[in-house]
Amino acid sequence: MKRSAGLLLFHHTGNGLDVLLGHMGGPFFARRDAGAWTIPKGEYEPDESAWAAARREFEEELGLPPPDGEALALGEVRQTNGKIVTAWAIEADLAPATIAPGTFRMEWPPRSGQLQEFPELDRVAWFGLDRAREVIVKAQAAFLDRLAEHSP
């Protein structure tokens, strides 16, 4: 079973709580909005802790070191593809324009024999919780609910 771990950044605004999500890169999500946004996360092997993986993946996906600060454990969710995702929330500010996303390679178009490089996350943005629930990968919405329960 595949496992991923990630960090959900949040901050308080005059309108409530905002969270930082990334839009999944590559051709499958290029024209999608709903269900195409995720917390910055990635897979890890059993010999790595979920916490270490979440911090490593944050840096790989955004090109920035993970923020320091108190981490709130948000638990796990199982996505429709069967992957288990573990997440922590950290209060921090990040300017979306400062990201330098990592990339991945895949054959595109399919069966063309051509490898192309795509960003892991093609953009990041801050969302209020209501809007975030509309665009985030469905199973990950539970992380938003858990964060809201623990946030003043």
Side-chain angles (χ1 to χ4, degrees), residues 117-138:
E117 198 165 284
F118 298 96
E120 299 248 5
L121 299 173
D122 57 22
R123 61 192 183 274
V124 299
W126 289 98
F127 292 92
L129 289 180
D130 289 342
R131 180 70 179 132
R133 283 185 187 94
E134 294 172 1
V135 298
I136 197 167
V137 171
K138 189 175 181 179

Side-chain angles (χ1 to χ4, degrees), residues 3-7 39-42 44 50-51 54 73-77 84-88 143:
R3 300 182 77 77
S4 280
L7 300 178
I39 66 168
K41 63 167 184 49
Y44 65 99
W51 173 246
L74 298 176
E76 296 180 340
V77 298
I84 302 293
V85 180
T86 306
W88 288 265
F143 294 141

